[in-house]
Amino acid sequence: MSESRQSDPNASLIARVWRSVFRGPILPESDRDRKWIVFNTLLLHARPIRVPASTIRYTHTFGLGGMSLLLVLLLMGSGALLMLAYEPSSQGAHDSLASLERDVLFGRLVRSVHYWSANLVVFALCLHVLRVLLTGAFRGPRQFNWIVGLSLLACVLLSNFTGYLLPWDQDSYWAVTIVTGMVEYVPLVGGWLQRVIRSGAEIGTSTILTFYALHTTFVPGALIALMALHFWRVRKAGGVVRPDVPGAGRPETVLFLPNLLIREVAVALTLIACVLALAMVFPAALGEAANPGMSPNPAKAPWYFMGFQELLLHFDPVFAVLVIPVVVAAGLLSLPYLRCEAAREGNWFLSDTGRRTTGVAALLGLVATPAWIVIDEFLIDPAASLPGIPPVLSYGALPFAILLGVVVGFFVFVKRRYGAGDSESIQAVFILLGTVFSILTLIGVWFRGKGMALKWPWNL
Amino acid sequence: MEATQSPGSAPSRRRFLTALWVALGGVAFTELVWIAISFLRPSLRRSSRIEIGAIVSAGPVERFAPGSVTAFRDGKFYLVRLEDGGFLALHRKCTHLGCTVPWIAEEGRFACPCHASAFDLRGDVLNPPAPRALDLFPVRIENGIVKVDVTAPIRRLAFDPSQVVRA
């Protein structure tokens, strides 16, 4: 088709150069053109020519994976600009950002876009994990991609955490102090690990340099490699999981261009507009420069780690920072490999039973978590009521065993009461745990005032 | 053909060479990991070097009233003079997660702003979650001058009379 246009010897030089760059149609006029463009464009040829019609509905995936990708791209763009202004040292860091905001055109906007994208990407990824969980899209060919996805989430959290220190204001200094303080409670290697992470006994220029290198080189490199693997595996699995339509044969398909691409572009443009609006209306804060001599009251971890800080108020540190996170992470990683009878996938909540048990799980987490926190805060004191027993048991192993009992009991309850299958029961357990952690995070962020005492948000 | 034989029946020379390559690859990988770790090792970094051997002269013994707490911001410690006249140098870092604990004179205790841990004059835990008493720095009294060695804090579980230094 393009053969004749390309080799026309009488065309002008400009036309011939143009043809050498764009070898086919740019504005497609027929489906044949559209297929040609998808197949022969670097960025588009990673996508299929045709996609199942049932998967392009927005509410099937809510475009969360694509949104996360776009936010990571925004982060890389804005981050590259910030690197031109930032000085990684304890003397220069805060000043360099203050002068960026004061003296550079759009300096504050770029920093705010970076800030908002970083926060939103954690949010979008959590919702993406939730979508994959609730549509059972981690079975069959997607098993390993669930692991890759969780690794991506870990990379993004590490990237956020290392970036949190860099402004070197009071919030960042003390948040990193607290989170690296948690590391010390890892048995045996905790102290060593803490010194390696901090690059010394104290948080200072060495820490900034380590975090800066991780934040701008190592983690983005890992992110790019893992993202490539993740998207390639999505394509190899035949695209996103298809809604399960009983009795359907071969799925009806539509052209990727324009049907899916136009939806993706619409989501992308809306998201960019939202990020810009947020960055303009609520610019990123730059507090007072870090002062190692004075902890602010209260001193809190970044919001995505507040769930752990809240756990620390209720559990012995060994359980809060090691046992519980390791057990939950092991559960998440093994999820695709759990044996299930009559495994389901494709539809939201898997089935009508799944819809009901998800609701029950969320409701239980919503009611039980605040109740447990209030009881633990005001009514019982395990260390005092069980004298003579070391706190690691009374304050760690015992409540952990109770928690484990509740989870197992809930699993059995869901199976018996609602006749849920394995898939639905496992889903319900993870929804329960996810709800509990979300509530812990919310309470930590909005309901903890001076000295981490429980307060109403309007009294903070 | 030899190349299509199953691994079990491969000639011993080929098996040996394959094992050698795998071993060499393992050595190369170990070297890379070793290099990365040596780059991360904190002892090589500047900030941890300059603190070694730092001795802070707090001042003459008479300057500190019994039952008083004096903050030394540069040395990151509080010099405590107990009611009986003994001295303790308490690290200002909370033993829970490392926040700086201010001395609340009206309440007569150190109160951590981060997780509500509290310590008494001697550094003992009044209120968890702090797992142990505030760390100590070694105190010496030379010619009536109180000197504190702030090189490295000393961990302790609880207060013990042997920790007190007297003039």
Side-chain angles (χ1 to χ4, degrees), chain A residues 193-209:
Chain A
L193 200 60
Q194 186 191 48
R195 278 193 306 280
V196 168
I197 294 172
R198 288 183 177 173
S199 290
E202 304 286 330
I203 294 176
T205 296
S206 303
T207 322
I208 295 184
L209 276 176

Side-chain angles (χ1 to χ4, degrees), chain B residues 90-129:
Chain B
L90 301 178
H91 195 16
R92 68 179 180 185
K93 243 168 77 171
C94 180
T95 52
H96 181 225
L97 288 177
C99 291
T100 296
V101 273
W103 168 248
I104 313 292
E106 307 90 75
E107 302 169 19
R109 61 197 208 147
F110 298 94
C112 181
C114 294
H115 296 91
S117 297
F119 308 87
D120 67 10
L121 191 67
R122 301 172 304 179
D124 261 342
V125 178
L126 288 174
N127 196 23

Side-chain angles (χ1 to χ4, degrees), chain A residues 134-368:
Chain A
L134 287 176
T135 53
F138 49 80
R139 302 186 193 285
R142 299 183 181 81
Q143 275 181 321
F144 182 64
N145 222 13
W146 169 263
I147 311 281
V148 177
L150 288 180
S151 316
L152 277 167
L153 177 61
C155 279
V156 164
L157 285 177
L158 182 60
S159 184
N160 267 273
F161 175 60
T162 48
Y164 206 90
L165 177 70
L166 301 181
W168 201 248
D169 60 6
Q170 276 285 73
D171 278 354
S172 48
Y173 181 89
W174 290 104
V176 172
T177 301
I178 287 174
V179 177
T180 53
M182 294 181 193
V183 173
E184 207 185 351
Y185 287 105
V186 176
L188 302 179
V189 294
W192 173 81
L193 200 60
Q194 186 191 48
R195 278 193 306 280
V196 168
I197 294 172
R198 288 183 177 173
S199 290
E202 304 286 330
I203 294 176
T205 296
S206 303
T207 322
I208 295 184
L209 276 176
T210 303
F211 277 40
Y212 184 65
L214 286 173
H215 185 76
T216 56
T217 307
F218 291 91
V219 181
L223 265 180
I224 290 171
L226 285 170
M227 284 197 306
L229 179 59
H230 196 64
F231 303 147
W232 181 69
R233 299 288 296 225
V234 170
R235 177 78 197 272
K236 288 287 151 186
V240 300
V241 70
R242 276 208 300 276
D244 174 33
V245 186
R250 282 173 63 86
E252 184 201 338
T253 59
V254 293
L255 283 180
F256 164 77
L257 178 72
N259 298 291
L260 180 53
L261 186 65
I262 205 151
R263 284 169 165 79
E264 292 177 340
V265 171
V267 170
L269 291 178
T270 311
L271 182 60
I272 291 175
C274 289
V275 170
L276 280 175
L278 280 170
M280 283 188 277
V281 179
F282 306 105
L286 184 63
E288 281 176 45
N291 176 3
M294 200 198 66
S295 305
N297 192 348
K300 293 188 177 181
W303 66 267
Y304 36 85
F305 286 145
M306 271 316 288
F308 291 112
Q309 203 180 340
E310 184 66 33
L311 270 185
L312 268 173
L313 294 172
H314 304 283
F315 281 95
D316 184 79
V318 174
F319 279 83
V321 307
L322 189 72
V323 177
I324 295 176
V326 165
V327 168
V328 171
L332 278 173
L333 288 171
S334 61
L335 178 62
Y337 303 101
L338 298 177
R339 281 186 199 286
C340 279
E341 278 177 33
R344 294 165 158 278
E345 66 173 32
N347 293 329
W348 274 92
F349 307 107
L350 306 179
S351 63
D352 284 340
T353 314
R355 192 179 295 267
R356 223 168 298 135
T357 51
T358 303
V360 172
L363 195 68
L364 176 66
L366 217 59
V367 174

